[in-house]
Amino acid sequence: MSTEPATTTQNLEGNEACALGAIAGGCRFYAGYPITPSSEIAERMASELPGVGGVFIQMEDEIASMAAILGASMGGLKVMTATSGPGFSLKQENLGLAVATEIPCVIIDVMRGGPSTGLPTRPAQGDYMQARWGTHGDHAIIVLTPASVAEIYAQTIRAFNLAEAFRTPVVILYEETIGHLRETVDLPAPETIEIIDRQWAAPDDRNFLPYRPGTDGIPAMPRPGDGHRTHMTGLTHGEDGFPTQKPEAIAAANRHLSHKLEPHLDRIEQFEIVAGEDAEVIVVACGLVARAAKRAVAKARAKGIRAGLFRPITLWPFPTLPLQALLQPAGAVIVAEMNAGQLIAEVERHAGDHCRVVGLNRIDGEAITPSQILQQIEELAND
Amino acid sequence: MSQTQIEIRLSGSGGQGILLAGQILGDALTLERKRIAQSQSYEPTSRGGLSRCDLVAGTKATDYPLASALDYLVILDRIALHASDDILKTNTLVVIDMSAAEGKDAENGKTRALPLLDTARACNDIRSANIVALGALVELSGVCRADTLVAAICAGAPAKLVKSMLKAVEAGQNLVRA
């Protein structure tokens, strides 16, 4: 008799997998406002959450949706909202509040063409920098970019674990095409899924301060009902949670918000390298484009061209050191992205002078194809 | 990209049930232990306009999930006649409704023009033309077994449509056998 945990094989749409991953990851509160191409997430959450004792609220807009999940998270639940570019713009103010108050939450952005209402039904990758710097002020944030339906499921679970472990908003970005792609996936048995819960302050801690970093640098949260006195504000605050004007306290608070993830990069960073060991031309790409690049790299290798792929799964914090190591022996890098050139600036920062950095961009609402990438690889290899 | 991977496109006009047919065929392939990636046009085409649903299927998960070199193409409406020309192979099997086939080389050994819409009308359900096409495609190509297609319909189609869909599968098969 097999002792392997049972998996369930089924055909799932990306947006469905996101909702199911959220439930499996412990999400019990969803507030959102429907928007193409993310609405199936809300639909599935509305049908799934009541069955597990959770709460679904369709809010009046995206601003209120973001506010609602922060309140529910402060109340002790694991929370999520989902949107697309225009809604993500509206959420930025309260996303900043989540950063400043260190409230765990997960935000899904199914990317469509922009700016503004742009191209509701077309894929794009134009929100890379908005996810990193869309809200004002210095801060750290985690952004994940799954490339398949199976990975959407897994990374959504992981998003909840990261949000809870590090008291941070976690954003998941994927393109409309992946959101509506239906793929065969093997869902793991629930008992095999790793779940991380937030660290609660000890109920009997008489010296509790709501923003005093713990031994891992992350403050424990006061559990509602335990009786801890707490204060949460978007104003720059000291360890007691109250606004401060003291320069040393302000600097300490901002240092914490900017750098609190850095000691934990080994748990946060994820990336995929394909055929990287001797590659002369490296393609850097995320999501759907990375899948096109994977095929292009295989075809290039079949032609004897030493090509490789670097795919950030954790987009932010950007996996700098692994990319630098990969680029050390490489002569050229192609940054393929469905925007006018966002990720390329980050790659250029880390590539070094020896490595030529070339952008491959598409901004017409169509996906970058394997043949486009292969052509670029061949041109660089022949240079 | 592997040798065992196949690419199928169902195409026609919005409202013809192209997406539902693609989901059913995808589920049938999964019942035969294939792993599928299904993508589709995502536009407001429910009242006309080009509609398509693509399946990439193989024994392993595909690297790239979008169709790029079709093995099988179904065309139910003239609007889709040339929409897939850029990803046809020399040996792509094209199953096309006769009303759309005008101007298409029906003598080509790889193109089969069949009265898919008329057959659906004869079954008293024009909406089942998509399933007639699946029946014909399965009979012509063996892309999956007919009994798995039937099982996928019984498991995944709206209950009120199952009976007429099963009739449509058989009608599509009979078109080819004839």
mmCIF file of all heavy atoms in Angstrom, chain B residues 105-144:
data_model
loop_
_atom_site.group_PDB
_atom_site.id
_atom_site.type_symbol
_atom_site.label_atom_id
_atom_site.label_comp_id
_atom_site.label_asym_id
_atom_site.label_seq_id
_atom_site.Cartn_x
_atom_site.Cartn_y
_atom_site.Cartn_z
ATOM 1 N N ASP B 105 -9.654 25.050 -49.992
ATOM 2 C CA ASP B 105 -9.381 23.889 -50.817
ATOM 3 C C ASP B 105 -9.887 22.626 -50.141
ATOM 4 O O ASP B 105 -9.184 21.965 -49.395
ATOM 5 C CB ASP B 105 -7.875 23.789 -51.079
ATOM 6 C CG ASP B 105 -7.566 22.603 -51.968
ATOM 7 O OD1 ASP B 105 -8.520 22.022 -52.524
ATOM 8 O OD2 ASP B 105 -6.380 22.268 -52.101
ATOM 9 N N ALA B 106 -11.158 22.293 -50.418
ATOM 10 C CA ALA B 106 -11.765 21.131 -49.781
ATOM 11 C C ALA B 106 -11.216 19.828 -50.342
ATOM 12 O O ALA B 106 -11.450 18.763 -49.788
ATOM 13 C CB ALA B 106 -13.276 21.178 -49.936
ATOM 14 N N GLU B 107 -10.501 19.910 -51.479
ATOM 15 C CA GLU B 107 -9.920 18.688 -52.044
ATOM 16 C C GLU B 107 -8.628 18.307 -51.342
ATOM 17 O O GLU B 107 -8.149 17.194 -51.473
ATOM 18 C CB GLU B 107 -9.626 18.897 -53.550
ATOM 19 C CG GLU B 107 -10.855 19.215 -54.386
ATOM 20 C CD GLU B 107 -11.907 18.129 -54.256
ATOM 21 O OE1 GLU B 107 -11.561 16.944 -54.337
ATOM 22 O OE2 GLU B 107 -13.085 18.486 -54.049
ATOM 23 N N ASN B 108 -8.070 19.270 -50.632
ATOM 24 C CA ASN B 108 -6.840 18.988 -49.891
ATOM 25 C C ASN B 108 -7.078 17.824 -48.938
ATOM 26 O O ASN B 108 -8.068 17.805 -48.201
ATOM 27 C CB ASN B 108 -6.440 20.250 -49.109
ATOM 28 C CG ASN B 108 -5.116 20.069 -48.396
ATOM 29 O OD1 ASN B 108 -4.797 18.981 -47.939
ATOM 30 N ND2 ASN B 108 -4.358 21.139 -48.327
ATOM 31 N N GLY B 109 -6.178 16.876 -48.985
ATOM 32 C CA GLY B 109 -6.343 15.673 -48.168
ATOM 33 C C GLY B 109 -6.406 15.960 -46.694
ATOM 34 O O GLY B 109 -6.911 15.149 -45.913
ATOM 35 N N LYS B 110 -5.925 17.122 -46.264
ATOM 36 C CA LYS B 110 -5.902 17.448 -44.844
ATOM 37 C C LYS B 110 -7.079 18.325 -44.441
ATOM 38 O O LYS B 110 -7.163 18.783 -43.319
ATOM 39 C CB LYS B 110 -4.582 18.150 -44.487
ATOM 40 C CG LYS B 110 -3.389 17.217 -44.510
ATOM 41 C CD LYS B 110 -3.527 16.168 -43.415
ATOM 42 C CE LYS B 110 -2.387 15.161 -43.477
ATOM 43 N NZ LYS B 110 -2.539 14.113 -42.455
ATOM 44 N N THR B 111 -7.935 18.651 -45.382
ATOM 45 C CA THR B 111 -9.110 19.465 -45.052
ATOM 46 C C THR B 111 -10.372 18.641 -45.286
ATOM 47 O O THR B 111 -10.545 18.043 -46.355
ATOM 48 C CB THR B 111 -9.151 20.732 -45.933
ATOM 49 O OG1 THR B 111 -7.982 21.495 -45.689
ATOM 50 C CG2 THR B 111 -10.384 21.570 -45.605
ATOM 51 N N ARG B 112 -11.229 18.573 -44.300
ATOM 52 C CA ARG B 112 -12.495 17.865 -44.465
ATOM 53 C C ARG B 112 -13.634 18.852 -44.252
ATOM 54 O O ARG B 112 -13.811 19.380 -43.139
ATOM 55 C CB ARG B 112 -12.616 16.718 -43.445
ATOM 56 C CG ARG B 112 -11.831 15.471 -43.839
ATOM 57 C CD ARG B 112 -12.378 14.799 -45.104
ATOM 58 N NE ARG B 112 -13.728 14.299 -44.984
ATOM 59 C CZ ARG B 112 -14.034 13.063 -44.599
ATOM 60 N NH1 ARG B 112 -13.081 12.207 -44.270
ATOM 61 N NH2 ARG B 112 -15.299 12.691 -44.521
ATOM 62 N N ALA B 113 -14.361 19.145 -45.314
ATOM 63 C CA ALA B 113 -15.540 20.007 -45.217
ATOM 64 C C ALA B 113 -16.752 19.131 -44.933
ATOM 65 O O ALA B 113 -17.019 18.182 -45.670
ATOM 66 C CB ALA B 113 -15.725 20.789 -46.508
ATOM 67 N N LEU B 114 -17.449 19.436 -43.861
ATOM 68 C CA LEU B 114 -18.585 18.614 -43.433
ATOM 69 C C LEU B 114 -19.767 19.522 -43.096
ATOM 70 O O LEU B 114 -19.576 20.662 -42.656
ATOM 71 C CB LEU B 114 -18.206 17.797 -42.181
ATOM 72 C CG LEU B 114 -17.098 16.750 -42.339
ATOM 73 C CD1 LEU B 114 -16.649 16.239 -40.972
ATOM 74 C CD2 LEU B 114 -17.565 15.603 -43.215
ATOM 75 N N PRO B 115 -20.976 19.022 -43.243
ATOM 76 C CA PRO B 115 -22.165 19.837 -42.918
ATOM 77 C C PRO B 115 -22.433 19.839 -41.411
ATOM 78 O O PRO B 115 -23.433 19.292 -40.950
ATOM 79 C CB PRO B 115 -23.282 19.125 -43.708
ATOM 80 C CG PRO B 115 -22.847 17.700 -43.771
ATOM 81 C CD PRO B 115 -21.350 17.705 -43.830
ATOM 82 N N LEU B 116 -21.547 20.464 -40.669
ATOM 83 C CA LEU B 116 -21.641 20.428 -39.202
ATOM 84 C C LEU B 116 -22.877 21.190 -38.713
ATOM 85 O O LEU B 116 -23.633 20.704 -37.868
ATOM 86 C CB LEU B 116 -20.371 21.028 -38.584
ATOM 87 C CG LEU B 116 -19.054 20.348 -38.995
ATOM 88 C CD1 LEU B 116 -17.856 21.184 -38.565
ATOM 89 C CD2 LEU B 116 -18.957 18.945 -38.396
ATOM 90 N N LEU B 117 -23.082 22.398 -39.252
ATOM 91 C CA LEU B 117 -24.228 23.211 -38.809
ATOM 92 C C LEU B 117 -25.549 22.579 -39.252
ATOM 93 O O LEU B 117 -26.504 22.518 -38.475
ATOM 94 C CB LEU B 117 -24.110 24.641 -39.348
ATOM 95 C CG LEU B 117 -22.902 25.452 -38.857
ATOM 96 C CD1 LEU B 117 -22.905 26.842 -39.494
ATOM 97 C CD2 LEU B 117 -22.906 25.595 -37.345
ATOM 98 N N ASP B 118 -25.586 22.102 -40.500
ATOM 99 C CA ASP B 118 -26.822 21.473 -40.993
ATOM 100 C C ASP B 118 -27.157 20.227 -40.169
ATOM 101 O O ASP B 118 -28.336 19.946 -39.904
ATOM 102 C CB ASP B 118 -26.674 21.090 -42.475
ATOM 103 C CG ASP B 118 -26.785 22.314 -43.379
ATOM 104 O OD1 ASP B 118 -27.228 23.376 -42.869
ATOM 105 O OD2 ASP B 118 -26.412 22.227 -44.557
ATOM 106 N N THR B 119 -26.148 19.499 -39.792
ATOM 107 C CA THR B 119 -26.375 18.295 -38.975
ATOM 108 C C THR B 119 -26.939 18.680 -37.610
ATOM 109 O O THR B 119 -27.845 18.024 -37.086
ATOM 110 C CB THR B 119 -25.058 17.505 -38.813
ATOM 111 O OG1 THR B 119 -24.557 17.186 -40.113
ATOM 112 C CG2 THR B 119 -25.277 16.231 -38.023
ATOM 113 N N ALA B 120 -26.413 19.758 -37.047
ATOM 114 C CA ALA B 120 -26.936 20.227 -35.758
ATOM 115 C C ALA B 120 -28.397 20.675 -35.909
ATOM 116 O O ALA B 120 -29.234 20.383 -35.053
ATOM 117 C CB ALA B 120 -26.079 21.378 -35.231
ATOM 118 N N ARG B 121 -28.685 21.346 -37.008
ATOM 119 C CA ARG B 121 -30.079 21.764 -37.261
ATOM 120 C C ARG B 121 -30.989 20.545 -37.370
ATOM 121 O O ARG B 121 -32.104 20.530 -36.835
ATOM 122 C CB ARG B 121 -30.157 22.567 -38.562
ATOM 123 C CG ARG B 121 -29.732 24.015 -38.398
ATOM 124 C CD ARG B 121 -30.052 24.848 -39.654
ATOM 125 N NE ARG B 121 -29.253 26.050 -39.627
ATOM 126 C CZ ARG B 121 -28.111 26.229 -40.300
ATOM 127 N NH1 ARG B 121 -27.646 25.264 -41.077
ATOM 128 N NH2 ARG B 121 -27.430 27.356 -40.195
ATOM 129 N N ALA B 122 -30.487 19.521 -38.035
ATOM 130 C CA ALA B 122 -31.287 18.298 -38.190
ATOM 131 C C ALA B 122 -31.538 17.620 -36.841
ATOM 132 O O ALA B 122 -32.509 16.890 -36.680
ATOM 133 C CB ALA B 122 -30.569 17.335 -39.130
ATOM 134 N N CYS B 123 -30.645 17.886 -35.899
ATOM 135 C CA CYS B 123 -30.826 17.367 -34.529
ATOM 136 C C CYS B 123 -31.715 18.317 -33.714
ATOM 137 O O CYS B 123 -31.836 18.168 -32.490
ATOM 138 C CB CYS B 123 -29.487 17.209 -33.816
ATOM 139 S SG CYS B 123 -28.406 15.954 -34.508
ATOM 140 N N ASN B 124 -32.262 19.329 -34.371
ATOM 141 C CA ASN B 124 -33.135 20.316 -33.718
ATOM 142 C C ASN B 124 -32.415 21.159 -32.674
ATOM 143 O O ASN B 124 -33.038 21.641 -31.725
ATOM 144 C CB ASN B 124 -34.355 19.637 -33.065
ATOM 145 C CG ASN B 124 -35.244 19.004 -34.101
ATOM 146 O OD1 ASN B 124 -35.463 19.581 -35.165
ATOM 147 N ND2 ASN B 124 -35.711 17.808 -33.811
ATOM 148 N N ASP B 125 -31.100 21.322 -32.803
ATOM 149 C CA ASP B 125 -30.372 22.159 -31.845
ATOM 150 C C ASP B 125 -29.124 22.731 -32.517
ATOM 151 O O ASP B 125 -28.051 22.144 -32.437
ATOM 152 C CB ASP B 125 -29.985 21.339 -30.605
ATOM 153 C CG ASP B 125 -29.409 22.235 -29.510
ATOM 154 O OD1 ASP B 125 -29.305 23.456 -29.735
ATOM 155 O OD2 ASP B 125 -29.070 21.701 -28.449
ATOM 156 N N ILE B 126 -29.273 23.874 -33.154
ATOM 157 C CA ILE B 126 -28.150 24.498 -33.850
ATOM 158 C C ILE B 126 -26.982 24.759 -32.903
ATOM 159 O O ILE B 126 -25.827 24.769 -33.306
ATOM 160 C CB ILE B 126 -28.602 25.808 -34.558
ATOM 161 C CG1 ILE B 126 -27.459 26.437 -35.365
ATOM 162 C CG2 ILE B 126 -29.124 26.822 -33.551
ATOM 163 C CD1 ILE B 126 -26.996 25.611 -36.522
ATOM 164 N N ARG B 127 -27.320 24.944 -31.624
ATOM 165 C CA ARG B 127 -26.255 25.232 -30.645
ATOM 166 C C ARG B 127 -25.317 24.043 -30.428
ATOM 167 O O ARG B 127 -24.266 24.187 -29.825
ATOM 168 C CB ARG B 127 -26.874 25.639 -29.297
ATOM 169 C CG ARG B 127 -27.604 26.975 -29.332
ATOM 170 C CD ARG B 127 -28.358 27.195 -28.044
ATOM 171 N NE ARG B 127 -29.259 26.074 -27.776
ATOM 172 C CZ ARG B 127 -29.924 25.907 -26.644
ATOM 173 N NH1 ARG B 127 -29.797 26.781 -25.668
ATOM 174 N NH2 ARG B 127 -30.712 24.865 -26.474
ATOM 175 N N SER B 128 -25.749 22.872 -30.910
ATOM 176 C CA SER B 128 -24.902 21.704 -30.678
ATOM 177 C C SER B 128 -23.895 21.475 -31.804
ATOM 178 O O SER B 128 -23.214 20.454 -31.835
ATOM 179 C CB SER B 128 -25.759 20.446 -30.486
ATOM 180 O OG SER B 128 -26.408 20.118 -31.712
ATOM 181 N N ALA B 129 -23.779 22.439 -32.731
ATOM 182 C CA ALA B 129 -22.827 22.281 -33.837
ATOM 183 C C ALA B 129 -21.408 22.084 -33.321
ATOM 184 O O ALA B 129 -20.600 21.344 -33.903
ATOM 185 C CB ALA B 129 -22.891 23.512 -34.745
ATOM 186 N N ASN B 130 -21.094 22.746 -32.205
ATOM 187 C CA ASN B 130 -19.755 22.582 -31.623
ATOM 188 C C ASN B 130 -19.493 21.128 -31.221
ATOM 189 O O ASN B 130 -18.389 20.601 -31.406
ATOM 190 C CB ASN B 130 -19.571 23.522 -30.426
ATOM 191 C CG ASN B 130 -20.673 23.385 -29.390
ATOM 192 O OD1 ASN B 130 -21.662 22.670 -29.602
ATOM 193 N ND2 ASN B 130 -20.531 24.056 -28.269
ATOM 194 N N ILE B 131 -20.521 20.467 -30.720
ATOM 195 C CA ILE B 131 -20.344 19.081 -30.273
ATOM 196 C C ILE B 131 -20.384 18.115 -31.462
ATOM 197 O O ILE B 131 -19.679 17.106 -31.474
ATOM 198 C CB ILE B 131 -21.413 18.703 -29.217
ATOM 199 C CG1 ILE B 131 -21.423 19.732 -28.083
ATOM 200 C CG2 ILE B 131 -21.140 17.311 -28.653
ATOM 201 C CD1 ILE B 131 -20.116 19.871 -27.325
ATOM 202 N N VAL B 132 -21.199 18.459 -32.481
ATOM 203 C CA VAL B 132 -21.144 17.686 -33.725
ATOM 204 C C VAL B 132 -19.701 17.708 -34.244
ATOM 205 O O VAL B 132 -19.151 16.676 -34.659
ATOM 206 C CB VAL B 132 -22.110 18.279 -34.783
ATOM 207 C CG1 VAL B 132 -21.915 17.582 -36.121
ATOM 208 C CG2 VAL B 132 -23.557 18.157 -34.315
ATOM 209 N N ALA B 133 -19.095 18.879 -34.197
ATOM 210 C CA ALA B 133 -17.710 19.023 -34.663
ATOM 211 C C ALA B 133 -16.753 18.158 -33.842
ATOM 212 O O ALA B 133 -15.830 17.542 -34.389
ATOM 213 C CB ALA B 133 -17.284 20.488 -34.602
ATOM 214 N N LEU B 134 -16.970 18.113 -32.525
ATOM 215 C CA LEU B 134 -16.105 17.270 -31.692
ATOM 216 C C LEU B 134 -16.262 15.801 -32.074
ATOM 217 O O LEU B 134 -15.275 15.056 -32.153
ATOM 218 C CB LEU B 134 -16.440 17.450 -30.206
ATOM 219 C CG LEU B 134 -16.036 18.749 -29.527
ATOM 220 C CD1 LEU B 134 -16.267 18.657 -28.011
ATOM 221 C CD2 LEU B 134 -14.591 19.112 -29.808
ATOM 222 N N GLY B 135 -17.515 15.380 -32.300
ATOM 223 C CA GLY B 135 -17.752 13.990 -32.710
ATOM 224 C C GLY B 135 -17.020 13.671 -34.005
ATOM 225 O O GLY B 135 -16.379 12.616 -34.138
ATOM 226 N N ALA B 136 -17.100 14.599 -34.952
ATOM 227 C CA ALA B 136 -16.424 14.393 -36.236
ATOM 228 C C ALA B 136 -14.910 14.386 -36.063
ATOM 229 O O ALA B 136 -14.203 13.535 -36.629
ATOM 230 C CB ALA B 136 -16.843 15.496 -37.206
ATOM 231 N N LEU B 137 -14.411 15.324 -35.258
ATOM 232 C CA LEU B 137 -12.961 15.413 -35.047
ATOM 233 C C LEU B 137 -12.422 14.135 -34.412
ATOM 234 O O LEU B 137 -11.388 13.593 -34.833
ATOM 235 C CB LEU B 137 -12.637 16.621 -34.142
ATOM 236 C CG LEU B 137 -11.166 16.795 -33.770
ATOM 237 C CD1 LEU B 137 -10.331 17.146 -35.003
ATOM 238 C CD2 LEU B 137 -10.995 17.882 -32.698
ATOM 239 N N VAL B 138 -13.136 13.643 -33.415
ATOM 240 C CA VAL B 138 -12.695 12.431 -32.724
ATOM 241 C C VAL B 138 -12.715 11.235 -33.685
ATOM 242 O O VAL B 138 -11.794 10.422 -33.713
ATOM 243 C CB VAL B 138 -13.600 12.176 -31.491
ATOM 244 C CG1 VAL B 138 -13.413 10.772 -30.953
ATOM 245 C CG2 VAL B 138 -13.295 13.207 -30.404
ATOM 246 N N GLU B 139 -13.757 11.161 -34.505
ATOM 247 C CA GLU B 139 -13.870 10.043 -35.439
ATOM 248 C C GLU B 139 -12.763 10.110 -36.503
ATOM 249 O O GLU B 139 -12.188 9.088 -36.882
ATOM 250 C CB GLU B 139 -15.245 10.084 -36.108
ATOM 251 C CG GLU B 139 -15.571 8.885 -36.959
ATOM 252 C CD GLU B 139 -15.757 7.600 -36.160
ATOM 253 O OE1 GLU B 139 -16.037 7.678 -34.956
ATOM 254 O OE2 GLU B 139 -15.608 6.505 -36.755
ATOM 255 N N LEU B 140 -12.452 11.311 -36.954
ATOM 256 C CA LEU B 140 -11.434 11.480 -37.995
ATOM 257 C C LEU B 140 -10.017 11.282 -37.484
ATOM 258 O O LEU B 140 -9.167 10.726 -38.172
ATOM 259 C CB LEU B 140 -11.516 12.910 -38.561
ATOM 260 C CG LEU B 140 -12.482 13.189 -39.694
ATOM 261 C CD1 LEU B 140 -12.553 14.687 -39.929
ATOM 262 C CD2 LEU B 140 -12.032 12.475 -40.964
ATOM 263 N N SER B 141 -9.778 11.763 -36.272
ATOM 264 C CA SER B 141 -8.386 11.885 -35.808
ATOM 265 C C SER B 141 -8.007 10.909 -34.710
ATOM 266 O O SER B 141 -6.826 10.622 -34.512
ATOM 267 C CB SER B 141 -8.156 13.305 -35.278
ATOM 268 O OG SER B 141 -8.927 13.506 -34.096
ATOM 269 N N GLY B 142 -8.978 10.443 -33.958
ATOM 270 C CA GLY B 142 -8.644 9.619 -32.798
ATOM 271 C C GLY B 142 -7.906 10.415 -31.737
ATOM 272 O O GLY B 142 -7.163 9.867 -30.922
ATOM 273 N N VAL B 143 -8.117 11.735 -31.731
ATOM 274 C CA VAL B 143 -7.406 12.579 -30.760
ATOM 275 C C VAL B 143 -7.730 12.153 -29.328
ATOM 276 O O VAL B 143 -6.905 12.256 -28.423
ATOM 277 C CB VAL B 143 -7.722 14.073 -31.022
ATOM 278 C CG1 VAL B 143 -9.171 14.402 -30.747
ATOM 279 C CG2 VAL B 143 -6.821 14.964 -30.222
ATOM 280 N N CYS B 144 -8.959 11.661 -29.141
ATOM 281 C CA CYS B 144 -9.297 10.951 -27.909
ATOM 282 C C CYS B 144 -10.367 9.917 -28.275
ATOM 283 O O CYS B 144 -10.886 9.932 -29.394
ATOM 284 C CB CYS B 144 -9.786 11.886 -26.805
ATOM 285 S SG CYS B 144 -11.430 12.581 -27.093
#
